[in-house]
Amino acid sequence: QVQLAESGGGLVQAGGSLRLSCAASGRTFSSYVMGWFRQAPGKEREFVAAIRWSSGSAYYADSVKGRFTISRENAKNTVYLQMNSLKREDTAVYYCAAGRGLTTPDRYDYWGQGTQVTVSP
């Protein structure tokens, strides 16, 4: 059974940092793309960042480029999202996903339960 378990969310002041983790289990993900998406209240789920597990190639939404970094640790089957210089508009539930696409949620096969990130003034 495939499981993606996010952790690391919480409350942080604007300008602060958080690191999200996504522990993947249940299958081999070497051919997959691992992505982070987020959804704020009343808004659609949006792409944040993705990484090709095999090559490590990373992709970012323009809104987070230069502030967020996605990485993976093969030995732990874990993907990370380092978030720096957080802004209030980064407040959302963050989801980890595994699939064949990059920026489109429909191309992802597996999803975690989400972790809340709240950025205060």
Side-chain angles (χ1 to χ4, degrees):
Q1 182 180 0
V2 173
Q3 286 191 326
L4 301 177
E6 304 102 332
S7 61
L11 175 65
V12 63
Q13 283 190 324
S17 298
L18 280 176
R19 188 177 81 156
L20 305 183
S21 299
C22 173
S25 62
R27 68 162 299 142
T28 301
F29 291 93
S30 57
S31 64
Y32 274 69
V33 174
M34 303 298 294
W36 286 97
F37 290 78
R38 66 187 181 188
Q39 189 166 17
K43 295 188 176 182
E44 292 188 353
R45 192 167 297 189
E46 66 171 356
F47 169 74
V48 175
I51 187 167
R52 295 190 184 278
W53 199 285
S54 56
S55 67
S57 298
Y59 308 85
Y60 299 94
D62 288 342
S63 58
V64 306
K65 205 170 290 184
R67 300 188 298 123
F68 291 10
T69 303
I70 188 171
S71 62
R72 84 256 193 263
E73 186 172 356
N74 291 341
K76 293 186 177 181
N77 238 25
T78 299
V79 176
Y80 302 99
L81 185 68
Q82 177 67 44
M83 306 186 294
N84 298 329
S85 303
L86 282 160
K87 305 175 181 180
R88 291 203 68 190
E89 51 264 43
D90 295 319
T91 295
V93 177
Y94 283 70
Y95 297 90
C96 175
R100 309 290 185 177
L102 281 177
T103 64
T104 307
D106 290 350
R107 297 289 310 278
Y108 284 79
D109 303 314
Y110 307 105
W111 291 84
Q113 292 299 308
T115 185
Q116 176 71 46
V117 171
T118 303
V119 184
S120 64

